[in-house]
Amino acid sequence: MFISVNTSSIPKTFKGSTLIIPAISVGNVGQLACDLLIATLDVEKVGYFCSPCFLPIVGNNPFASSLQAENSNTPCLSSEVYYSSTSNLAVVQLRSPLVKGKQSEFRSHLLKWMKECEFAELIILSSCHAFERSDEQLIGAPFRYLISPAHKDAKQCISQLSWKEMEERAVGYGDRSLFLPGGGYTKKLFQACCEAEVPCVVLLLFCAEGNNIPEAMSIVDHLNQWKHYIDEKTKKWTSPPSWAYLFGNMPPSGIF
Protein backbone atom coordinates (compact mmCIF):
# COMPACT_ATOMS: atom_id res chain seq x y z
CA MET A 1 0.00 0.00 0.00
CA PHE A 2 2.72 2.48 0.96
CA ILE A 3 5.52 3.02 -1.51
CA SER A 4 8.40 5.20 -0.37
CA VAL A 5 9.91 7.86 -2.63
CA ASN A 6 13.29 6.49 -1.59
CA THR A 7 12.87 2.72 -1.52
CA SER A 8 16.12 2.32 0.41
CA SER A 9 14.82 4.31 3.40
CA ILE A 10 11.16 3.69 4.08
CA PRO A 11 10.20 6.06 6.92
CA LYS A 12 9.95 4.28 10.26
CA THR A 13 9.25 7.49 12.11
CA PHE A 14 5.48 7.25 11.54
CA LYS A 15 5.29 5.50 14.91
CA GLY A 16 3.51 7.70 17.41
CA SER A 17 2.71 10.42 14.86
CA THR A 18 -0.61 11.90 13.77
CA LEU A 19 -2.13 10.86 10.45
CA ILE A 20 -4.29 13.46 8.71
CA ILE A 21 -6.45 12.50 5.76
CA PRO A 22 -9.11 14.45 3.84
CA ALA A 23 -12.55 13.14 3.08
CA ILE A 24 -13.58 13.49 -0.54
CA SER A 25 -16.61 15.54 0.39
CA VAL A 26 -18.68 18.56 -0.68
CA GLY A 27 -16.58 21.54 -1.73
CA ASN A 28 -13.34 19.53 -1.45
CA VAL A 29 -12.81 21.28 1.89
CA GLY A 30 -10.68 18.49 3.36
CA GLN A 31 -8.38 18.37 0.34
CA LEU A 32 -7.98 22.17 0.28
CA ALA A 33 -7.19 22.08 4.00
CA CYS A 34 -4.50 19.45 3.41
CA ASP A 35 -3.03 21.69 0.69
CA LEU A 36 -2.67 24.43 3.31
CA LEU A 37 -0.99 22.08 5.79
CA ILE A 38 1.46 20.78 3.19
CA ALA A 39 2.30 24.26 1.85
CA THR A 40 2.71 25.82 5.30
CA LEU A 41 4.36 23.18 7.48
CA ASP A 42 7.83 21.72 7.13
CA VAL A 43 6.72 18.57 5.32
CA GLU A 44 8.25 16.55 2.53
CA LYS A 45 6.77 13.99 0.19
CA VAL A 46 7.90 10.61 1.49
CA GLY A 47 5.82 8.30 -0.64
CA TYR A 48 2.49 7.21 -2.04
CA PHE A 49 -0.49 5.49 -0.48
CA CYS A 50 -1.04 3.18 -3.41
CA SER A 51 -4.52 1.74 -3.28
CA PRO A 52 -6.52 0.38 -6.21
CA CYS A 53 -9.56 2.05 -4.63
CA PHE A 54 -8.83 5.44 -6.20
CA LEU A 55 -9.13 6.51 -9.81
CA PRO A 56 -5.62 7.03 -11.22
CA ILE A 57 -4.51 10.54 -12.15
CA VAL A 58 -1.24 12.24 -13.04
CA GLY A 59 -0.64 15.99 -12.96
CA ASN A 60 1.95 18.69 -12.35
CA ASN A 61 3.44 19.29 -8.91
CA PRO A 62 0.88 21.58 -7.19
CA PHE A 63 3.46 22.84 -4.70
CA ALA A 64 6.18 23.79 -7.18
CA SER A 65 7.11 27.45 -7.57
CA SER A 66 9.68 29.53 -9.43
CA LEU A 67 11.90 29.13 -6.36
CA GLN A 68 11.72 25.34 -6.58
CA ALA A 69 12.73 24.70 -10.17
CA GLU A 70 14.35 21.40 -9.24
CA ASN A 71 11.03 19.76 -8.37
CA SER A 72 8.72 21.60 -10.76
CA ASN A 73 8.53 18.56 -13.03
CA THR A 74 7.78 16.07 -10.25
CA PRO A 75 4.45 14.43 -11.10
CA CYS A 76 1.47 14.54 -8.77
CA LEU A 77 -0.46 11.28 -8.30
CA SER A 78 -3.86 10.45 -6.85
CA SER A 79 -2.70 9.72 -3.29
CA GLU A 80 0.52 11.07 -1.81
CA VAL A 81 2.02 10.97 1.68
CA TYR A 82 3.82 13.93 3.27
CA TYR A 83 5.64 13.79 6.58
CA SER A 84 7.04 16.29 9.09
CA SER A 85 9.27 15.18 11.95
CA THR A 86 9.03 18.70 13.39
CA SER A 87 5.25 18.60 13.68
CA ASN A 88 5.14 14.81 14.15
CA LEU A 89 2.46 14.33 11.54
CA ALA A 90 1.83 12.66 8.22
CA VAL A 91 -0.62 14.05 5.69
CA VAL A 92 -2.21 11.90 3.00
CA GLN A 93 -3.41 14.09 0.14
CA LEU A 94 -6.06 12.55 -2.12
CA ARG A 95 -6.76 14.05 -5.53
CA SER A 96 -9.22 11.63 -7.10
CA PRO A 97 -12.50 9.99 -6.01
CA LEU A 98 -12.94 6.45 -4.79
CA VAL A 99 -13.88 3.81 -7.33
CA LYS A 100 -17.54 2.90 -6.92
CA GLY A 101 -17.96 -0.03 -4.53
CA LYS A 102 -14.40 0.25 -3.13
CA GLN A 103 -15.16 2.19 0.06
CA SER A 104 -15.01 -0.85 2.35
CA GLU A 105 -11.74 -2.00 0.81
CA PHE A 106 -10.25 1.48 1.25
CA ARG A 107 -11.16 1.52 4.95
CA SER A 108 -9.51 -1.87 5.43
CA HIS A 109 -6.34 -0.74 3.64
CA LEU A 110 -6.11 2.49 5.63
CA LEU A 111 -6.67 0.91 9.05
CA LYS A 112 -4.22 -1.89 8.24
CA TRP A 113 -1.57 0.66 7.24
CA MET A 114 -2.21 2.66 10.41
CA LYS A 115 -1.70 -0.46 12.51
CA GLU A 116 1.48 -1.45 10.67
CA CYS A 117 3.00 2.03 11.04
CA GLU A 118 1.72 2.45 14.62
CA PHE A 119 0.19 5.89 14.07
CA ALA A 120 -1.02 7.46 17.30
CA GLU A 121 -4.25 8.88 15.89
CA LEU A 122 -6.25 9.62 12.76
CA ILE A 123 -7.70 13.05 11.97
CA ILE A 124 -10.27 13.26 9.16
CA LEU A 125 -10.92 16.68 7.60
CA SER A 126 -14.37 16.73 6.05
CA SER A 127 -17.50 18.72 5.13
CA CYS A 128 -21.26 18.30 4.81
CA HIS A 129 -24.05 19.90 2.78
CA ALA A 130 -25.13 23.16 4.41
CA PHE A 131 -28.67 22.86 3.03
CA GLU A 132 -29.15 19.63 5.02
CA ARG A 133 -28.66 21.31 8.42
CA SER A 134 -31.43 20.70 10.93
CA ASP A 135 -33.03 23.53 12.89
CA GLU A 136 -30.73 22.99 15.86
CA GLN A 137 -27.67 22.99 13.57
CA LEU A 138 -28.54 26.41 12.18
CA ILE A 139 -27.57 28.00 15.48
CA GLY A 140 -23.96 29.11 15.88
CA ALA A 141 -20.88 28.32 13.80
CA PRO A 142 -20.97 25.69 11.02
CA PHE A 143 -17.99 23.82 12.50
CA ARG A 144 -18.49 20.40 14.14
CA TYR A 145 -16.33 17.57 15.44
CA LEU A 146 -16.52 13.87 16.33
CA ILE A 147 -14.26 11.84 18.65
CA SER A 148 -14.00 8.05 18.82
CA PRO A 149 -14.34 6.49 22.29
CA ALA A 150 -10.73 5.27 22.17
CA HIS A 151 -9.33 8.80 21.91
CA LYS A 152 -9.56 9.91 25.53
CA ASP A 153 -6.63 12.35 25.23
CA ALA A 154 -8.35 14.29 22.45
CA LYS A 155 -11.64 14.31 24.34
CA GLN A 156 -9.92 15.92 27.30
CA CYS A 157 -8.15 18.58 25.19
CA ILE A 158 -11.09 19.42 22.94
CA SER A 159 -13.46 19.71 25.89
CA GLN A 160 -11.54 22.87 26.82
CA LEU A 161 -12.27 24.46 23.43
CA SER A 162 -15.54 26.12 22.50
CA TRP A 163 -16.34 23.54 19.83
CA LYS A 164 -19.67 21.89 19.18
CA GLU A 165 -19.93 18.15 18.69
CA MET A 166 -21.82 16.86 15.65
CA GLU A 167 -25.45 16.23 16.56
CA GLU A 168 -27.16 12.95 15.78
CA ARG A 169 -30.35 12.99 13.72
CA ALA A 170 -33.59 11.28 14.76
CA VAL A 171 -34.31 8.16 12.69
CA GLY A 172 -37.04 5.57 13.04
CA TYR A 173 -38.88 5.28 16.31
CA GLY A 174 -36.89 7.46 18.66
CA ASP A 175 -33.49 6.21 17.49
CA ARG A 176 -30.76 8.68 16.62
CA SER A 177 -27.89 8.33 14.18
CA LEU A 178 -25.11 10.35 12.57
CA PHE A 179 -26.22 12.08 9.38
CA LEU A 180 -23.34 13.41 7.27
CA PRO A 181 -24.79 14.21 3.81
CA GLY A 182 -22.10 15.05 1.28
CA GLY A 183 -19.42 13.76 3.65
CA GLY A 184 -18.24 10.93 1.42
CA TYR A 185 -16.68 8.10 3.40
CA THR A 186 -16.46 10.17 6.63
CA LYS A 187 -19.23 8.42 8.55
CA LYS A 188 -18.28 4.84 7.73
CA LEU A 189 -14.56 5.44 8.28
CA PHE A 190 -15.28 7.05 11.65
CA GLN A 191 -17.54 4.15 12.63
CA ALA A 192 -14.85 1.67 11.53
CA CYS A 193 -12.34 3.46 13.75
CA CYS A 194 -14.78 3.28 16.67
CA GLU A 195 -15.26 -0.46 16.16
CA ALA A 196 -11.50 -1.07 15.81
CA GLU A 197 -10.76 1.15 18.84
CA VAL A 198 -8.61 3.46 16.72
CA PRO A 199 -8.15 6.98 18.17
CA CYS A 200 -9.92 9.16 15.63
CA VAL A 201 -11.16 12.75 15.40
CA VAL A 202 -13.32 14.19 12.61
CA LEU A 203 -13.26 17.94 11.97
CA LEU A 204 -15.93 19.11 9.55
CA LEU A 205 -17.84 22.14 8.31
CA PHE A 206 -21.25 22.63 6.78
CA CYS A 207 -20.75 24.30 3.39
CA ALA A 208 -21.97 24.65 -0.18
CA GLU A 209 -20.11 24.10 -3.45
CA GLY A 210 -18.21 27.14 -4.71
CA ASN A 211 -15.14 29.00 -3.53
CA ASN A 212 -14.40 26.87 -0.47
CA ILE A 213 -11.04 28.39 0.43
CA PRO A 214 -12.57 30.21 3.45
CA GLU A 215 -13.92 26.89 4.76
CA ALA A 216 -10.50 25.26 4.30
CA MET A 217 -8.89 28.13 6.20
CA SER A 218 -11.47 27.76 8.95
CA ILE A 219 -10.95 24.03 9.38
CA VAL A 220 -7.15 24.32 9.66
CA ASP A 221 -7.61 27.20 12.10
CA HIS A 222 -9.69 24.91 14.29
CA LEU A 223 -7.11 22.14 13.91
CA ASN A 224 -4.40 24.58 14.94
CA GLN A 225 -6.34 25.60 18.06
CA TRP A 226 -5.95 22.00 19.17
CA LYS A 227 -2.54 21.01 17.77
CA HIS A 228 -0.70 24.37 17.65
CA TYR A 229 1.18 23.60 14.44
CA ILE A 230 1.84 27.30 13.75
CA ASP A 231 1.96 30.42 15.88
CA GLU A 232 -1.37 32.12 15.24
CA LYS A 233 0.03 35.57 16.05
CA THR A 234 3.15 35.55 13.88
CA LYS A 235 2.43 33.13 11.04
CA LYS A 236 -0.40 32.60 8.54
CA TRP A 237 -1.37 29.69 6.36
CA THR A 238 0.40 29.59 3.00
CA SER A 239 -1.60 28.95 -0.14
CA PRO A 240 0.08 26.55 -2.61
CA PRO A 241 1.01 28.00 -6.04
CA SER A 242 -1.59 25.78 -7.72
CA TRP A 243 -4.41 27.75 -6.07
CA ALA A 244 -3.76 30.57 -8.54
CA TYR A 245 -5.46 28.34 -11.14
CA LEU A 246 -8.46 27.14 -9.12
CA PHE A 247 -10.92 29.15 -11.20
CA GLY A 248 -9.06 29.40 -14.50
CA ASN A 249 -8.18 32.55 -16.40
CA MET A 250 -10.20 35.75 -16.53
CA PRO A 251 -12.77 35.83 -19.38
CA PRO A 252 -11.45 37.45 -22.57
CA SER A 253 -12.42 41.11 -22.86
CA GLY A 254 -13.61 40.57 -26.43
CA ILE A 255 -16.75 38.77 -25.27
CA PHE A 256 -18.16 41.93 -23.65
Side-chain angles (χ1 to χ4, degrees):
M1 288 177 290
F2 176 77
I3 297 179
S4 175
V5 170
N6 185 351
T7 54
S8 63
S9 60
I10 297 177
K12 298 180 180 180
T13 47
F14 287 156
K15 182 178 180 179
S17 62
T18 295
L19 176 63
I20 297 178
I21 188 169
I24 303 171
S25 53
V26 57
N28 304 109
V29 173
Q31 292 153 298
L32 292 171
C34 284
D35 270 352
L36 288 171
L37 291 171
I38 295 167
T40 305
L41 304 181
D42 181 24
V43 299
E44 63 174 329
K45 185 161 70 174
V46 294
Y48 304 91
F49 182 68
C50 292
S51 170
C53 302
F54 292 94
L55 294 174
I57 65 162
V58 177
N60 293 329
N61 182 359
F63 303 104
S65 66
S66 57
L67 301 177
Q68 299 172 316
E70 70 279 359
N71 66 1
S72 60
N73 294 322
T74 303
C76 166
L77 303 183
S78 59
S79 53
E80 301 178 319
V81 182
Y82 296 80
Y83 177 73
S84 169
S85 58
T86 305
S87 301
N88 195 32
L89 87 158
V91 180
V92 176
Q93 179 60 297
L94 304 175
R95 298 194 180 278
S96 67
L98 281 168
V99 176
K100 187 175 181 180
K102 292 287 187 178
Q103 191 178 126
S104 177
E105 185 179 345
F106 161 68
R107 293 196 302 271
S108 298
H109 287 174
L110 181 65
L111 294 180
K112 180 181 178 182
W113 182 51
M114 283 193 66
K115 185 176 180 180
E116 290 174 350
C117 295
E118 298 182 73
F119 283 104
E121 62 181 346
L122 173 66
I123 299 176
I124 306 169
L125 306 182
S126 185
S127 53
C128 289
H129 284 302
F131 68 83
E132 291 278 10
R133 296 169 75 178
S134 63
D135 289 345
E136 62 179 329
Q137 291 171 338
L138 291 172
I139 301 173
F143 176 81
R144 294 292 189 275
Y145 74 92
L146 291 164
I147 302 179
S148 67
H151 208 339
K152 296 179 181 179
D153 291 341
K155 187 178 291 290
Q156 183 177 358
C157 292
I158 291 177
S159 64
Q160 301 174 19
L161 302 172
S162 57
W163 293 0
K164 194 169 185 179
E165 190 169 3
M166 186 67 179
E167 304 88 347
E168 292 185 334
R169 189 76 67 89
V171 294
Y173 297 97
D175 295 329
R176 297 181 69 85
S177 176
L178 281 176
F179 183 61
L180 306 178
Y185 53 69
T186 304
K187 178 180 176 179
K188 290 187 177 180
L189 178 55
F190 176 72
Q191 291 175 332
C193 288
C194 292
E195 294 172 2
E197 298 185 345
V198 172
C200 175
V201 173
V202 178
L203 306 182
L204 59 88
L205 280 166
F206 292 106
C207 70
E209 293 280 5
N211 180 0
N212 296 105
I213 291 176
E215 284 82 3
M217 292 281 189
S218 177
I219 210 165
V220 292
D221 281 340
H222 281 87
L223 174 64
N224 198 57
Q225 288 177 24
W226 169 29
K227 289 296 187 177
H228 306 291
Y229 288 131
I230 65 172
D231 189 329
E232 297 178 12
K233 296 181 180 180
T234 61
K235 193 173 182 181
K236 296 182 179 180
W237 298 106
T238 302
S239 300
S242 61
W243 280 19
Y245 308 101
L246 279 178
F247 303 103
N249 298 323
M250 294 294 291
S253 58
I255 69 174
F256 298 107

